[in-house]
Amino acid sequence: MEAWSSSDMRATPQGGPLSPLLANVLLDEVDRELEKRGLNFVRCTDDCNVYVRSQKAGERVLKGLRKLYDKLHLKVNETKTSVSAARGRNFFDYCLWGGQGKEVRRAVSKKAIETFKTRIRQKTKRSGGRSMQQVVSDLRNYLLGWKSYFGMAQTPGKFRELDEWLRHRLRAVQLKHWRRGRTMYDELRKMGANPEQAARIAANSTRWWHNSSMELNRIIPIAWFDRMGLPLSHNPNVSNRPVRTRMPGGVGGGRSDNLTVSYPDTEQLLALLEQNTQLTEITRQLGPRIQELTLEIHEHILREEGTSSLLPRRLGQAE
């Protein structure tokens, strides 16, 4: 769920440094109430997910939260608030999915993946008039940022799929840059293609997407993109699949008892959690004074507008 301030109040700009701080101050009472009830929840600024065991329990908790938000003179964003299954529910572009057994894992939401593909299409237009090195350089910063943000996702298979799609698209861009069949033939021969392979690809010189798979995968391999500096969107050492081993008479597979699966950025995550704990403690210590300043600013704005305050007076009182 997401909270809004009353419509006749001025708000801080979304994404500004003051916005999350004020949200933590105002919604600290909500956190304490949820902790008091022993509920599992996660909140970041004004976005909050509460996890319960049934639909009926979810409706009961939501009803209580509405009353609590009303006391704080905040409105619930109805378009983003609902009682629904936890799996598939978006939270800052992450969602949950069911792994083996009853294990719950983190995944990138479908909306975030579609946004990723849309951005890649914009950055890799085949009529951009740029060299492949320039295209890859433009992609690099975006891919590194995307990988860093979704580093906690436990879907290496989906990341590999996105990497394959991206390389397919870049191969199509390279063919479009060569344009003519004769140029394609000469360039492919320079890259190590035999005459038959080069001739087959050059014969379909206008079918860039169709040509950018199959034989071209071996002529322009992953190592070629590595030399260009194209980063992977996944950690190749992480997998959620059973280990496959080749055995005499066929291929067998099983999960090794000694296999230790490590997920990326674990140490960084722990450090961030520790920093967040320290920040929360500092915020609580400074909370009363910040509340007083917030009330004074609010009252000053309302005096200029000639209206009365709707904020509860207790916000200005130190605990």
Side-chain angles (χ1 to χ4, degrees):
M1 65 186 301
E2 181 173 311
W4 280 354
S5 60
S6 298
S7 59
D8 57 349
M9 294 184 185
R10 292 185 179 180
T12 58
Q14 185 173 6
L18 188 59
S19 179
L21 182 60
L22 291 178
N24 285 336
V25 171
L26 287 173
L27 298 179
D28 182 66
E29 185 174 339
V30 177
D31 295 346
R32 295 187 182 188
E33 180 64 25
L34 293 174
E35 290 174 355
K36 180 181 176 181
R37 297 185 185 184
L39 296 171
N40 296 316
F41 72 97
V42 56
R43 182 181 65 80
C44 183
T45 62
D46 59 348
D47 289 326
C48 181
N49 280 3
V50 183
Y51 301 99
V52 294
R53 292 184 177 275
S54 66
Q55 178 83 11
K56 186 176 181 180
E59 293 173 354
R60 182 175 64 252
V61 171
L62 180 58
K63 183 178 179 180
L65 285 175
R66 289 183 190 279
K67 293 180 180 179
L68 186 56
Y69 275 52
D70 285 341
K71 291 181 181 179
L72 297 174
H73 294 274
L74 297 172
K75 292 183 179 180
V76 174
N77 186 348
E78 299 295 344
T79 60
K80 294 185 178 181
T81 302
S82 66
V83 179
S84 59
R87 294 180 182 180
R89 182 78 176 171
N90 280 10
F91 189 70
F92 286 90
D93 287 333
Y94 274 91
C95 64
L96 302 177
W97 67 286
Q100 295 182 352
K102 296 183 179 180
E103 184 179 6
V104 178
R105 296 185 174 184
R106 299 176 298 273
V108 184
S109 68
K110 293 182 179 179
K111 181 181 178 181
I113 290 176
E114 288 303 318
T115 302
F116 171 82
K117 289 188 173 182
T118 299
R119 289 291 301 276
I120 294 299
R121 290 188 184 101
Q122 293 172 351
K123 291 177 174 292
T124 58
K125 292 181 179 179
R126 291 192 286 267
S127 58
R130 297 174 298 164
S131 68
M132 180 56 66
Q133 186 62 63
Q134 290 174 324
V135 173
V136 172
S137 297
D138 187 30
L139 285 173
R140 182 175 175 80
N141 290 336
Y142 177 71
L143 291 175
L144 289 175
W146 197 88
K147 176 183 178 180
S148 176
Y149 184 81
F150 292 108
M152 292 188 295
Q154 298 165 292
T155 52
K158 175 58 69 174
F159 288 152
R160 283 192 293 269
E161 180 184 322
L162 291 175
D163 285 336
E164 292 170 1
W165 174 82
L166 174 58
R167 289 192 294 269
H168 189 172
R169 184 166 182 85
L170 289 177
R171 291 186 184 104
V173 171
Q174 183 62 79
L175 291 178
K176 178 63 166 59
H177 286 175
W178 290 334
R179 299 182 66 86
R180 298 182 179 85
R182 182 62 192 181
T183 304
M184 283 187 189
Y185 180 87
D186 293 340
E187 294 294 335
L188 290 171
R189 291 286 289 133
K190 292 177 183 178
M191 299 182 74
N194 61 49
E196 292 78 13
Q197 288 177 324
R200 280 195 294 270
I201 295 173
N204 294 315
S205 58
T206 59
R207 301 182 66 186
W208 304 299
W209 185 258
H210 175 77
N211 262 345
S212 57
S213 61
M214 301 170 66
E215 289 186 319
L216 198 62
N217 291 353
R218 294 186 289 271
I219 301 171
I220 306 180
I222 298 176
W224 186 80
F225 293 104
D226 291 340
R227 290 193 296 271
M228 285 278 184
L230 183 71
L232 294 174
S233 63
H234 75 287
N235 185 345
N237 298 320
V238 177
S239 175
N240 62 347
R241 298 181 179 181
V243 176
R244 308 296 295 182
T245 57
R246 184 168 294 278
M247 302 177 182
V251 176
R255 185 174 295 278
S256 171
D257 295 334
N258 298 323
L259 178 64
T260 301
V261 179
S262 60
Y263 296 99
D265 301 328
T266 302
E267 294 182 358
Q268 295 180 9
L269 174 60
L270 293 175
L272 289 173
L273 289 175
E274 183 178 355
Q275 293 175 9
N276 184 63
T277 302
Q278 296 174 355
L279 179 61
T280 301
E281 183 62 28
I282 293 173
T283 302
R284 287 189 177 184
Q285 293 176 3
L286 298 177
R289 180 53 182 161
I290 294 175
Q291 290 175 347
E292 292 176 4
L293 292 174
T294 302
L295 182 61
E296 291 174 6
I297 294 171
H298 176 69
E299 293 289 353
H300 177 72
I301 293 173
L302 292 179
R303 281 197 298 270
E304 289 184 349
E305 297 178 347
T307 57
S308 58
S309 174
L310 292 177
L311 279 175
R313 284 289 173 180
R314 58 185 176 83
L315 282 179
Q317 300 174 357
E319 296 180 359

